[in-house]
Amino acid sequence: MSFPPYPQEMPVEGVYSTVPPQGQFGVATVVKPLSPLAITALVLGIISLLLSWIPILHNLIFILALIATVVAILAVVQTRPDMTHRGSGIAITSLVISILAIVVVFGSQAMYPKANGKAFGAPFVSSRASKGAATSDVVQLENGKVTIEVKKVEESVDDQEGEPTVAVTLKITNNDTSSLNPFAYYVEVSQNKAALDSAVYSDNLMPEGYEPFADLEELPAGKSMTLVKGYVLRDAAAPVTLMIDSTVPSTKAFKKEYSLQ
């Protein structure tokens, strides 16, 4: 019969102290590092939620909240018990906040135009003569699933800051069997190779046919809609270049220059 070894005796300042041998109590617990994805998703989600009520920022905040949602999903996977990082609670919280931000964006964008309509009535359209010309250019996207007809590109009313703008009128037709996501295509207007910023109009002065946030609405299968988009001009006399393409850039993008004179 054998006995366990006695603890080692070590002299400490003239006296003896018993210290258990190395490894007596097993291997020390390793603490997992906190997931950087979880922290990133939480920050992006909180920013998205805080700014989701601002109508002017709806497009930007939707994209930011979408990114936060994707990062949060990756963080949830990264912080599973069998993975190398901790922070599962933070990851799940950030996912909930990001999804809530997306819901708020869509909810507020639906309420804002209605509130404006009740408060201000029908928008006033300036009687100032528009400069530009009607066109009949037709763009086919997604192998014919989407048809975009350029109806007009013309100088329009000033924005809420008093800056001159150009209004682009498009007729969009969904030839597919499912609804058209508004982010499946994009429209860009530029001058001198510099992209123009989207115009923000006052509630009582806007282009004819213009509806705020109409470009964020899904288009049902087999339906058409007329969309008016406004852009702030850098030079009231210079021509503008219109580009229309799928969200994933292709070699078949539509690009044409229009004169405003």
mmCIF file of all heavy atoms in Angstrom, residues 194-245:
data_model
loop_
_atom_site.group_PDB
_atom_site.id
_atom_site.type_symbol
_atom_site.label_atom_id
_atom_site.label_comp_id
_atom_site.label_asym_id
_atom_site.label_seq_id
_atom_site.Cartn_x
_atom_site.Cartn_y
_atom_site.Cartn_z
ATOM 1 N N ALA A 194 -19.255 63.792 -61.106
ATOM 2 C CA ALA A 194 -19.468 63.795 -59.655
ATOM 3 C C ALA A 194 -20.939 63.515 -59.365
ATOM 4 O O ALA A 194 -21.830 64.197 -59.894
ATOM 5 C CB ALA A 194 -19.054 65.137 -59.055
ATOM 6 N N ALA A 195 -21.211 62.495 -58.558
ATOM 7 C CA ALA A 195 -22.592 62.121 -58.248
ATOM 8 C C ALA A 195 -23.302 63.233 -57.487
ATOM 9 O O ALA A 195 -22.707 63.890 -56.628
ATOM 10 C CB ALA A 195 -22.608 60.832 -57.429
ATOM 11 N N LEU A 196 -24.569 63.453 -57.809
ATOM 12 C CA LEU A 196 -25.371 64.477 -57.144
ATOM 13 C C LEU A 196 -26.066 63.899 -55.924
ATOM 14 O O LEU A 196 -26.476 62.729 -55.920
ATOM 15 C CB LEU A 196 -26.413 65.045 -58.114
ATOM 16 C CG LEU A 196 -25.889 65.687 -59.404
ATOM 17 C CD1 LEU A 196 -27.044 66.233 -60.231
ATOM 18 C CD2 LEU A 196 -24.891 66.791 -59.100
ATOM 19 N N ASP A 197 -26.228 64.721 -54.889
ATOM 20 C CA ASP A 197 -26.938 64.304 -53.684
ATOM 21 C C ASP A 197 -28.443 64.320 -53.927
ATOM 22 O O ASP A 197 -28.957 65.139 -54.704
ATOM 23 C CB ASP A 197 -26.601 65.239 -52.522
ATOM 24 C CG ASP A 197 -25.136 65.166 -52.132
ATOM 25 O OD1 ASP A 197 -24.538 64.087 -52.283
ATOM 26 O OD2 ASP A 197 -24.600 66.193 -51.666
ATOM 27 N N SER A 198 -29.148 63.424 -53.243
ATOM 28 C CA SER A 198 -30.610 63.418 -53.328
ATOM 29 C C SER A 198 -31.167 64.703 -52.734
ATOM 30 O O SER A 198 -30.668 65.196 -51.722
ATOM 31 C CB SER A 198 -31.186 62.212 -52.589
ATOM 32 O OG SER A 198 -30.778 61.008 -53.202
ATOM 33 N N ALA A 199 -32.194 65.243 -53.366
ATOM 34 C CA ALA A 199 -32.797 66.495 -52.901
ATOM 35 C C ALA A 199 -33.800 66.214 -51.795
ATOM 36 O O ALA A 199 -34.503 65.200 -51.814
ATOM 37 C CB ALA A 199 -33.481 67.209 -54.065
ATOM 38 N N VAL A 200 -33.855 67.127 -50.828
ATOM 39 C CA VAL A 200 -34.854 67.073 -49.759
ATOM 40 C C VAL A 200 -35.715 68.320 -49.905
ATOM 41 O O VAL A 200 -35.232 69.439 -49.738
ATOM 42 C CB VAL A 200 -34.197 67.028 -48.369
ATOM 43 C CG1 VAL A 200 -35.267 67.013 -47.282
ATOM 44 C CG2 VAL A 200 -33.280 65.821 -48.246
ATOM 45 N N TYR A 201 -36.981 68.119 -50.223
ATOM 46 C CA TYR A 201 -37.869 69.242 -50.495
ATOM 47 C C TYR A 201 -38.670 69.623 -49.252
ATOM 48 O O TYR A 201 -38.879 68.804 -48.349
ATOM 49 C CB TYR A 201 -38.827 68.895 -51.637
ATOM 50 C CG TYR A 201 -38.134 68.635 -52.956
ATOM 51 C CD1 TYR A 201 -37.893 67.340 -53.398
ATOM 52 C CD2 TYR A 201 -37.716 69.694 -53.763
ATOM 53 C CE1 TYR A 201 -37.246 67.095 -54.611
ATOM 54 C CE2 TYR A 201 -37.079 69.458 -54.981
ATOM 55 C CZ TYR A 201 -36.849 68.163 -55.394
ATOM 56 O OH TYR A 201 -36.207 67.931 -56.590
ATOM 57 N N SER A 202 -39.120 70.868 -49.226
ATOM 58 C CA SER A 202 -39.998 71.300 -48.145
ATOM 59 C C SER A 202 -41.371 70.669 -48.364
ATOM 60 O O SER A 202 -41.700 70.221 -49.467
ATOM 61 C CB SER A 202 -40.113 72.834 -48.125
ATOM 62 O OG SER A 202 -40.639 73.309 -49.353
ATOM 63 N N ASP A 203 -42.159 70.640 -47.312
ATOM 64 C CA ASP A 203 -43.449 69.953 -47.376
ATOM 65 C C ASP A 203 -44.459 70.636 -48.291
ATOM 66 O O ASP A 203 -45.416 70.006 -48.727
ATOM 67 C CB ASP A 203 -44.046 69.836 -45.965
ATOM 68 C CG ASP A 203 -43.168 68.980 -45.062
ATOM 69 O OD1 ASP A 203 -42.713 67.917 -45.517
ATOM 70 O OD2 ASP A 203 -42.924 69.387 -43.915
ATOM 71 N N ASN A 204 -44.265 71.917 -48.577
ATOM 72 C CA ASN A 204 -45.247 72.630 -49.401
ATOM 73 C C ASN A 204 -44.696 73.044 -50.757
ATOM 74 O O ASN A 204 -45.301 73.828 -51.469
ATOM 75 C CB ASN A 204 -45.768 73.871 -48.652
ATOM 76 C CG ASN A 204 -44.648 74.833 -48.311
ATOM 77 O OD1 ASN A 204 -43.482 74.488 -48.412
ATOM 78 N ND2 ASN A 204 -45.014 76.030 -47.899
ATOM 79 N N LEU A 205 -43.512 72.522 -51.137
ATOM 80 C CA LEU A 205 -42.949 72.840 -52.443
ATOM 81 C C LEU A 205 -42.099 71.664 -52.909
ATOM 82 O O LEU A 205 -41.025 71.409 -52.375
ATOM 83 C CB LEU A 205 -42.093 74.112 -52.376
ATOM 84 C CG LEU A 205 -41.506 74.586 -53.713
ATOM 85 C CD1 LEU A 205 -42.618 74.952 -54.688
ATOM 86 C CD2 LEU A 205 -40.587 75.783 -53.497
ATOM 87 N N MET A 206 -42.590 70.952 -53.903
ATOM 88 C CA MET A 206 -41.890 69.785 -54.414
ATOM 89 C C MET A 206 -42.282 69.539 -55.866
ATOM 90 O O MET A 206 -43.285 70.084 -56.344
ATOM 91 C CB MET A 206 -42.196 68.553 -53.553
ATOM 92 C CG MET A 206 -43.654 68.204 -53.409
ATOM 93 S SD MET A 206 -43.940 66.842 -52.237
ATOM 94 C CE MET A 206 -43.390 67.569 -50.687
ATOM 95 N N PRO A 207 -41.522 68.740 -56.600
ATOM 96 C CA PRO A 207 -41.844 68.488 -58.004
ATOM 97 C C PRO A 207 -43.191 67.792 -58.179
ATOM 98 O O PRO A 207 -43.650 67.084 -57.275
ATOM 99 C CB PRO A 207 -40.697 67.585 -58.473
ATOM 100 C CG PRO A 207 -39.605 67.797 -57.498
ATOM 101 C CD PRO A 207 -40.266 68.080 -56.194
ATOM 102 N N GLU A 208 -43.791 67.981 -59.323
ATOM 103 C CA GLU A 208 -45.066 67.342 -59.611
ATOM 104 C C GLU A 208 -44.891 65.825 -59.648
ATOM 105 O O GLU A 208 -43.982 65.295 -60.300
ATOM 106 C CB GLU A 208 -45.613 67.819 -60.956
ATOM 107 C CG GLU A 208 -46.978 67.247 -61.295
ATOM 108 C CD GLU A 208 -47.520 67.809 -62.593
ATOM 109 O OE1 GLU A 208 -46.791 68.567 -63.267
ATOM 110 O OE2 GLU A 208 -48.663 67.486 -62.933
ATOM 111 N N GLY A 209 -45.734 65.124 -58.915
ATOM 112 C CA GLY A 209 -45.659 63.665 -58.867
ATOM 113 C C GLY A 209 -44.688 63.115 -57.851
ATOM 114 O O GLY A 209 -44.602 61.895 -57.664
ATOM 115 N N TYR A 210 -43.967 63.980 -57.154
ATOM 116 C CA TYR A 210 -42.971 63.528 -56.187
ATOM 117 C C TYR A 210 -43.650 63.075 -54.896
ATOM 118 O O TYR A 210 -44.531 63.751 -54.364
ATOM 119 C CB TYR A 210 -41.987 64.660 -55.881
ATOM 120 C CG TYR A 210 -40.995 64.354 -54.781
ATOM 121 C CD1 TYR A 210 -39.827 63.660 -55.059
ATOM 122 C CD2 TYR A 210 -41.226 64.771 -53.473
ATOM 123 C CE1 TYR A 210 -38.904 63.380 -54.060
ATOM 124 C CE2 TYR A 210 -40.305 64.495 -52.469
ATOM 125 C CZ TYR A 210 -39.153 63.804 -52.768
ATOM 126 O OH TYR A 210 -38.246 63.537 -51.780
ATOM 127 N N GLU A 211 -43.228 61.921 -54.382
ATOM 128 C CA GLU A 211 -43.714 61.404 -53.101
ATOM 129 C C GLU A 211 -42.513 60.947 -52.278
ATOM 130 O O GLU A 211 -41.735 60.113 -52.747
ATOM 131 C CB GLU A 211 -44.681 60.235 -53.300
ATOM 132 C CG GLU A 211 -45.998 60.621 -53.956
ATOM 133 C CD GLU A 211 -46.953 59.447 -54.024
ATOM 134 O OE1 GLU A 211 -46.665 58.421 -53.348
ATOM 135 O OE2 GLU A 211 -47.960 59.543 -54.729
ATOM 136 N N PRO A 212 -42.342 61.498 -51.083
ATOM 137 C CA PRO A 212 -41.204 61.096 -50.247
ATOM 138 C C PRO A 212 -41.215 59.595 -49.964
ATOM 139 O O PRO A 212 -42.259 59.010 -49.699
ATOM 140 C CB PRO A 212 -41.403 61.904 -48.955
ATOM 141 C CG PRO A 212 -42.283 63.038 -49.349
ATOM 142 C CD PRO A 212 -43.177 62.510 -50.431
ATOM 143 N N PHE A 213 -40.059 58.963 -50.109
ATOM 144 C CA PHE A 213 -39.854 57.559 -49.773
ATOM 145 C C PHE A 213 -40.610 56.589 -50.674
ATOM 146 O O PHE A 213 -40.739 55.412 -50.350
ATOM 147 C CB PHE A 213 -40.222 57.290 -48.308
ATOM 148 C CG PHE A 213 -39.689 58.321 -47.364
ATOM 149 C CD1 PHE A 213 -40.538 59.129 -46.630
ATOM 150 C CD2 PHE A 213 -38.330 58.506 -47.233
ATOM 151 C CE1 PHE A 213 -40.036 60.096 -45.780
ATOM 152 C CE2 PHE A 213 -37.823 59.470 -46.384
ATOM 153 C CZ PHE A 213 -38.671 60.261 -45.656
ATOM 154 N N ALA A 214 -41.123 57.076 -51.805
ATOM 155 C CA ALA A 214 -41.781 56.165 -52.747
ATOM 156 C C ALA A 214 -40.786 55.160 -53.313
ATOM 157 O O ALA A 214 -41.168 54.054 -53.713
ATOM 158 C CB ALA A 214 -42.437 56.963 -53.870
ATOM 159 N N ASP A 215 -39.510 55.539 -53.345
ATOM 160 C CA ASP A 215 -38.487 54.645 -53.892
ATOM 161 C C ASP A 215 -38.156 53.493 -52.953
ATOM 162 O O ASP A 215 -37.366 52.614 -53.309
ATOM 163 C CB ASP A 215 -37.214 55.426 -54.229
ATOM 164 C CG ASP A 215 -36.650 56.173 -53.028
ATOM 165 O OD1 ASP A 215 -37.417 56.419 -52.078
ATOM 166 O OD2 ASP A 215 -35.459 56.523 -53.043
ATOM 167 N N LEU A 216 -38.750 53.455 -51.757
ATOM 168 C CA LEU A 216 -38.514 52.366 -50.809
ATOM 169 C C LEU A 216 -39.655 51.347 -50.798
ATOM 170 O O LEU A 216 -39.606 50.382 -50.047
ATOM 171 C CB LEU A 216 -38.315 52.920 -49.395
ATOM 172 C CG LEU A 216 -37.069 53.778 -49.175
ATOM 173 C CD1 LEU A 216 -37.023 54.264 -47.745
ATOM 174 C CD2 LEU A 216 -35.810 53.008 -49.516
ATOM 175 N N GLU A 217 -40.658 51.567 -51.610
ATOM 176 C CA GLU A 217 -41.813 50.666 -51.638
ATOM 177 C C GLU A 217 -41.563 49.500 -52.582
ATOM 178 O O GLU A 217 -41.004 49.666 -53.666
ATOM 179 C CB GLU A 217 -43.064 51.427 -52.075
ATOM 180 C CG GLU A 217 -43.479 52.542 -51.123
ATOM 181 C CD GLU A 217 -44.708 53.293 -51.622
ATOM 182 O OE1 GLU A 217 -45.249 52.888 -52.682
ATOM 183 O OE2 GLU A 217 -45.117 54.258 -50.973
ATOM 184 N N GLU A 218 -41.983 48.312 -52.173
ATOM 185 C CA GLU A 218 -41.890 47.153 -53.051
ATOM 186 C C GLU A 218 -42.954 47.253 -54.136
ATOM 187 O O GLU A 218 -44.062 47.742 -53.893
ATOM 188 C CB GLU A 218 -42.058 45.853 -52.266
ATOM 189 C CG GLU A 218 -40.870 45.494 -51.393
ATOM 190 C CD GLU A 218 -40.920 44.064 -50.898
ATOM 191 O OE1 GLU A 218 -41.977 43.414 -51.091
ATOM 192 O OE2 GLU A 218 -39.924 43.587 -50.336
ATOM 193 N N LEU A 219 -42.625 46.785 -55.334
ATOM 194 C CA LEU A 219 -43.554 46.825 -56.461
ATOM 195 C C LEU A 219 -44.082 45.418 -56.704
ATOM 196 O O LEU A 219 -43.309 44.506 -57.012
ATOM 197 C CB LEU A 219 -42.843 47.355 -57.711
ATOM 198 C CG LEU A 219 -43.682 47.524 -58.972
ATOM 199 C CD1 LEU A 219 -44.824 48.508 -58.722
ATOM 200 C CD2 LEU A 219 -42.822 47.998 -60.128
ATOM 201 N N PRO A 220 -45.410 45.210 -56.567
ATOM 202 C CA PRO A 220 -45.978 43.867 -56.761
ATOM 203 C C PRO A 220 -45.722 43.332 -58.167
ATOM 204 O O PRO A 220 -45.491 44.086 -59.112
ATOM 205 C CB PRO A 220 -47.478 44.087 -56.500
ATOM 206 C CG PRO A 220 -47.544 45.338 -55.683
ATOM 207 C CD PRO A 220 -46.418 46.192 -56.165
ATOM 208 N N ALA A 221 -45.795 42.026 -58.304
ATOM 209 C CA ALA A 221 -45.573 41.375 -59.600
ATOM 210 C C ALA A 221 -46.590 41.865 -60.624
ATOM 211 O O ALA A 221 -47.782 41.992 -60.338
ATOM 212 C CB ALA A 221 -45.667 39.863 -59.439
ATOM 213 N N GLY A 222 -46.104 42.165 -61.833
ATOM 214 C CA GLY A 222 -46.980 42.581 -62.919
ATOM 215 C C GLY A 222 -47.497 44.004 -62.835
ATOM 216 O O GLY A 222 -48.329 44.408 -63.642
ATOM 217 N N LYS A 223 -46.999 44.783 -61.865
ATOM 218 C CA LYS A 223 -47.480 46.154 -61.672
ATOM 219 C C LYS A 223 -46.437 47.174 -62.135
ATOM 220 O O LYS A 223 -45.264 46.870 -62.275
ATOM 221 C CB LYS A 223 -47.824 46.398 -60.207
ATOM 222 C CG LYS A 223 -48.926 45.501 -59.664
ATOM 223 C CD LYS A 223 -50.270 45.793 -60.333
ATOM 224 C CE LYS A 223 -51.379 44.944 -59.720
ATOM 225 N NZ LYS A 223 -52.698 45.229 -60.337
ATOM 226 N N SER A 224 -46.935 48.401 -62.357
ATOM 227 C CA SER A 224 -46.063 49.515 -62.740
ATOM 228 C C SER A 224 -46.294 50.686 -61.800
ATOM 229 O O SER A 224 -47.363 50.810 -61.196
ATOM 230 C CB SER A 224 -46.334 49.953 -64.179
ATOM 231 O OG SER A 224 -46.070 48.916 -65.096
ATOM 232 N N MET A 225 -45.301 51.546 -61.680
ATOM 233 C CA MET A 225 -45.465 52.761 -60.901
ATOM 234 C C MET A 225 -44.590 53.852 -61.504
ATOM 235 O O MET A 225 -43.566 53.575 -62.147
ATOM 236 C CB MET A 225 -45.094 52.544 -59.440
ATOM 237 C CG MET A 225 -43.620 52.375 -59.166
ATOM 238 S SD MET A 225 -43.259 52.326 -57.378
ATOM 239 C CE MET A 225 -41.468 52.151 -57.396
ATOM 240 N N THR A 226 -45.012 55.100 -61.305
ATOM 241 C CA THR A 226 -44.231 56.242 -61.753
ATOM 242 C C THR A 226 -43.499 56.819 -60.556
ATOM 243 O O THR A 226 -44.102 57.116 -59.531
ATOM 244 C CB THR A 226 -45.130 57.317 -62.387
ATOM 245 O OG1 THR A 226 -45.791 56.752 -63.534
ATOM 246 C CG2 THR A 226 -44.307 58.514 -62.840
ATOM 247 N N LEU A 227 -42.194 56.959 -60.691
ATOM 248 C CA LEU A 227 -41.348 57.410 -59.597
ATOM 249 C C LEU A 227 -40.640 58.695 -60.006
ATOM 250 O O LEU A 227 -40.055 58.773 -61.080
ATOM 251 C CB LEU A 227 -40.313 56.333 -59.258
ATOM 252 C CG LEU A 227 -39.311 56.633 -58.148
ATOM 253 C CD1 LEU A 227 -40.033 56.752 -56.809
ATOM 254 C CD2 LEU A 227 -38.248 55.532 -58.086
ATOM 255 N N VAL A 228 -40.704 59.722 -59.135
ATOM 256 C CA VAL A 228 -40.018 60.987 -59.373
ATOM 257 C C VAL A 228 -38.937 61.148 -58.318
ATOM 258 O O VAL A 228 -39.224 61.151 -57.122
ATOM 259 C CB VAL A 228 -40.996 62.180 -59.317
ATOM 260 C CG1 VAL A 228 -40.245 63.491 -59.562
ATOM 261 C CG2 VAL A 228 -42.108 62.012 -60.343
ATOM 262 N N LYS A 229 -37.695 61.264 -58.769
ATOM 263 C CA LYS A 229 -36.556 61.413 -57.864
ATOM 264 C C LYS A 229 -35.907 62.766 -58.110
ATOM 265 O O LYS A 229 -35.750 63.187 -59.256
ATOM 266 C CB LYS A 229 -35.543 60.287 -58.086
ATOM 267 C CG LYS A 229 -36.098 58.902 -57.791
ATOM 268 C CD LYS A 229 -35.115 57.806 -58.164
ATOM 269 C CE LYS A 229 -33.895 57.791 -57.277
ATOM 270 N NZ LYS A 229 -34.201 57.342 -55.905
ATOM 271 N N GLY A 230 -35.522 63.460 -57.026
ATOM 272 C CA GLY A 230 -34.909 64.774 -57.139
ATOM 273 C C GLY A 230 -33.451 64.757 -56.703
ATOM 274 O O GLY A 230 -33.076 64.034 -55.771
ATOM 275 N N TYR A 231 -32.633 65.580 -57.360
ATOM 276 C CA TYR A 231 -31.204 65.653 -57.050
ATOM 277 C C TYR A 231 -30.765 67.123 -57.050
ATOM 278 O O TYR A 231 -31.240 67.928 -57.859
ATOM 279 C CB TYR A 231 -30.385 64.873 -58.075
ATOM 280 C CG TYR A 231 -30.736 63.399 -58.132
ATOM 281 C CD1 TYR A 231 -31.769 62.950 -58.950
ATOM 282 C CD2 TYR A 231 -30.055 62.478 -57.351
ATOM 283 C CE1 TYR A 231 -32.111 61.607 -58.996
ATOM 284 C CE2 TYR A 231 -30.389 61.126 -57.391
ATOM 285 C CZ TYR A 231 -31.419 60.699 -58.214
ATOM 286 O OH TYR A 231 -31.756 59.372 -58.242
ATOM 287 N N VAL A 232 -29.844 67.458 -56.154
ATOM 288 C CA VAL A 232 -29.356 68.832 -56.034
ATOM 289 C C VAL A 232 -28.290 69.073 -57.096
ATOM 290 O O VAL A 232 -27.292 68.343 -57.177
ATOM 291 C CB VAL A 232 -28.765 69.091 -54.636
ATOM 292 C CG1 VAL A 232 -28.269 70.521 -54.528
ATOM 293 C CG2 VAL A 232 -29.804 68.796 -53.557
ATOM 294 N N LEU A 233 -28.498 70.105 -57.907
ATOM 295 C CA LEU A 233 -27.570 70.420 -58.983
ATOM 296 C C LEU A 233 -26.314 71.104 -58.447
ATOM 297 O O LEU A 233 -26.390 71.958 -57.565
ATOM 298 C CB LEU A 233 -28.234 71.324 -60.014
ATOM 299 C CG LEU A 233 -29.336 70.680 -60.881
ATOM 300 C CD1 LEU A 233 -30.073 71.753 -61.663
ATOM 301 C CD2 LEU A 233 -28.726 69.639 -61.810
ATOM 302 N N ARG A 234 -25.170 70.759 -59.022
ATOM 303 C CA ARG A 234 -23.925 71.456 -58.715
ATOM 304 C C ARG A 234 -23.764 72.676 -59.619
ATOM 305 O O ARG A 234 -23.169 73.672 -59.246
ATOM 306 C CB ARG A 234 -22.732 70.510 -58.913
ATOM 307 C CG ARG A 234 -22.700 69.333 -57.941
ATOM 308 C CD ARG A 234 -21.559 68.389 -58.301
ATOM 309 N NE ARG A 234 -21.507 67.268 -57.371
ATOM 310 C CZ ARG A 234 -20.782 67.248 -56.265
ATOM 311 N NH1 ARG A 234 -20.038 68.300 -55.958
ATOM 312 N NH2 ARG A 234 -20.788 66.197 -55.474
ATOM 313 N N ASP A 235 -24.316 72.546 -60.846
ATOM 314 C CA ASP A 235 -24.226 73.608 -61.852
ATOM 315 C C ASP A 235 -25.544 73.628 -62.605
ATOM 316 O O ASP A 235 -25.896 72.661 -63.293
ATOM 317 C CB ASP A 235 -23.057 73.339 -62.799
ATOM 318 C CG ASP A 235 -22.838 74.451 -63.828
ATOM 319 O OD1 ASP A 235 -23.739 75.296 -63.987
ATOM 320 O OD2 ASP A 235 -21.775 74.463 -64.460
ATOM 321 N N ALA A 236 -26.288 74.726 -62.470
ATOM 322 C CA ALA A 236 -27.611 74.804 -63.079
ATOM 323 C C ALA A 236 -27.568 74.773 -64.597
ATOM 324 O O ALA A 236 -28.583 74.484 -65.251
ATOM 325 C CB ALA A 236 -28.327 76.074 -62.610
ATOM 326 N N ALA A 237 -26.427 75.061 -65.195
ATOM 327 C CA ALA A 237 -26.326 75.124 -66.650
ATOM 328 C C ALA A 237 -25.733 73.860 -67.265
ATOM 329 O O ALA A 237 -25.925 73.596 -68.451
ATOM 330 C CB ALA A 237 -25.495 76.335 -67.069
ATOM 331 N N ALA A 238 -25.007 73.075 -66.488
ATOM 332 C CA ALA A 238 -24.319 71.904 -67.029
ATOM 333 C C ALA A 238 -25.284 70.741 -67.251
ATOM 334 O O ALA A 238 -26.267 70.590 -66.506
ATOM 335 C CB ALA A 238 -23.203 71.481 -66.086
ATOM 336 N N PRO A 239 -25.052 69.907 -68.260
ATOM 337 C CA PRO A 239 -25.897 68.725 -68.475
ATOM 338 C C PRO A 239 -25.703 67.717 -67.344
ATOM 339 O O PRO A 239 -24.713 67.770 -66.613
ATOM 340 C CB PRO A 239 -25.395 68.173 -69.811
ATOM 341 C CG PRO A 239 -23.993 68.665 -69.919
ATOM 342 C CD PRO A 239 -23.988 70.015 -69.268
ATOM 343 N N VAL A 240 -26.655 66.807 -67.220
ATOM 344 C CA VAL A 240 -26.558 65.770 -66.195
ATOM 345 C C VAL A 240 -26.475 64.409 -66.872
ATOM 346 O O VAL A 240 -26.983 64.219 -67.974
ATOM 347 C CB VAL A 240 -27.767 65.811 -65.229
ATOM 348 C CG1 VAL A 240 -27.826 67.119 -64.489
ATOM 349 C CG2 VAL A 240 -29.065 65.550 -65.969
ATOM 350 N N THR A 241 -25.818 63.489 -66.194
ATOM 351 C CA THR A 241 -25.691 62.121 -66.701
ATOM 352 C C THR A 241 -26.506 61.187 -65.815
ATOM 353 O O THR A 241 -26.334 61.185 -64.592
ATOM 354 C CB THR A 241 -24.222 61.659 -66.719
ATOM 355 O OG1 THR A 241 -23.470 62.527 -67.568
ATOM 356 C CG2 THR A 241 -24.110 60.241 -67.237
ATOM 357 N N LEU A 242 -27.391 60.426 -66.433
ATOM 358 C CA LEU A 242 -28.248 59.485 -65.708
ATOM 359 C C LEU A 242 -27.720 58.071 -65.912
ATOM 360 O O LEU A 242 -27.456 57.654 -67.040
ATOM 361 C CB LEU A 242 -29.687 59.587 -66.221
ATOM 362 C CG LEU A 242 -30.680 58.544 -65.702
ATOM 363 C CD1 LEU A 242 -30.888 58.686 -64.197
ATOM 364 C CD2 LEU A 242 -32.012 58.657 -66.443
ATOM 365 N N MET A 243 -27.561 57.348 -64.784
ATOM 366 C CA MET A 243 -27.152 55.949 -64.851
ATOM 367 C C MET A 243 -28.168 55.095 -64.114
ATOM 368 O O MET A 243 -28.584 55.435 -62.998
ATOM 369 C CB MET A 243 -25.762 55.738 -64.248
ATOM 370 C CG MET A 243 -25.335 54.262 -64.211
ATOM 371 S SD MET A 243 -23.754 53.981 -63.376
ATOM 372 C CE MET A 243 -22.642 54.614 -64.633
ATOM 373 N N ILE A 244 -28.574 53.989 -64.739
ATOM 374 C CA ILE A 244 -29.506 53.039 -64.128
ATOM 375 C C ILE A 244 -28.895 51.655 -64.271
ATOM 376 O O ILE A 244 -28.475 51.267 -65.366
ATOM 377 C CB ILE A 244 -30.889 53.085 -64.797
ATOM 378 C CG1 ILE A 244 -31.475 54.497 -64.729
ATOM 379 C CG2 ILE A 244 -31.832 52.086 -64.137
ATOM 380 C CD1 ILE A 244 -32.784 54.649 -65.477
ATOM 381 N N ASP A 245 -28.843 50.902 -63.181
ATOM 382 C CA ASP A 245 -28.238 49.574 -63.229
ATOM 383 C C ASP A 245 -28.805 48.713 -62.117
ATOM 384 O O ASP A 245 -29.475 49.207 -61.196
ATOM 385 C CB ASP A 245 -26.716 49.685 -63.085
ATOM 386 C CG ASP A 245 -25.994 48.426 -63.547
ATOM 387 O OD1 ASP A 245 -26.671 47.497 -64.032
ATOM 388 O OD2 ASP A 245 -24.757 48.380 -63.441
#
